[in-house]
Amino acid sequence: MAASRYVIALGSNRRGRHGGPEREIAAALAAIGGVCAVSPVIGTAPLGPSKRRFANAAAVIETNEQPPALLARLKTIERAFGRRRGRNWAARVIDLDILLWSGGTWSSPGLTVPHVQFRTRRFVLDPLVRIAPDWRDPLTNLSVRQLRTRLTRPVLALRCAHVGP
């Protein structure tokens, strides 16, 4: 089978056996392998009840795996790093998500590519635009650059003329 390219989101907000969050991301990249490009790590505010800031990055990787096989391998890496499932919004040593795939779309139980929420998450789009600004979302046909612009542009207030008495 021919190699595919994937965009992977990486996040951490807890120290692990490799060190602080940035070191956990670097170690996860080494464990994943096939890295073609990696963004700088950016610090972001947490979503949900977590109080710890996150370190986030994105990487483009190349592999012969189909999306379900890659997801299984990413989840194995998360477990090896000490990630425990079942606690949404909790602090985590590492979080690895498939965002995009050069094959387009994939849908199966437990996996949807492109990632359902990547278009609405600045902590995903900010690092991603640094390494793959022209990658197109197969569902909207918008580039990563366009998606980020839509997410970050100021909303213009609409003024309505007074109508009526």
Side-chain angles (χ1 to χ4, degrees), residues 1-9 32-38 58-68 70-71 73-74 97-106 113-115 128 131-136 138:
M1 175 175 64
S4 293
R5 287 197 172 206
Y6 292 87
V7 174
I8 307 298
I32 294 167
V35 176
C36 302
V38 63
V60 176
I61 68 162
E62 193 169 84
T63 179
N64 290 329
E65 295 163 297
Q66 287 290 306
L70 177 59
L71 178 65
R73 188 162 64 87
L74 295 178
D97 290 312
I98 300 172
L99 299 178
L100 295 161
W101 171 45
S102 61
T105 62
W106 184 277
V113 180
H115 189 285
L128 182 52
I131 59 168
D134 298 322
W135 192 312
R136 294 213 172 263

Side-chain angles (χ1 to χ4, degrees), residues 39-68:
S39 74
V41 176
I42 63 167
T44 60
L47 288 180
S50 180
K51 291 176 177 45
R52 298 177 190 223
R53 288 186 57 80
F54 269 85
N56 289 288
V60 176
I61 68 162
E62 193 169 84
T63 179
N64 290 329
E65 295 163 297
Q66 287 290 306

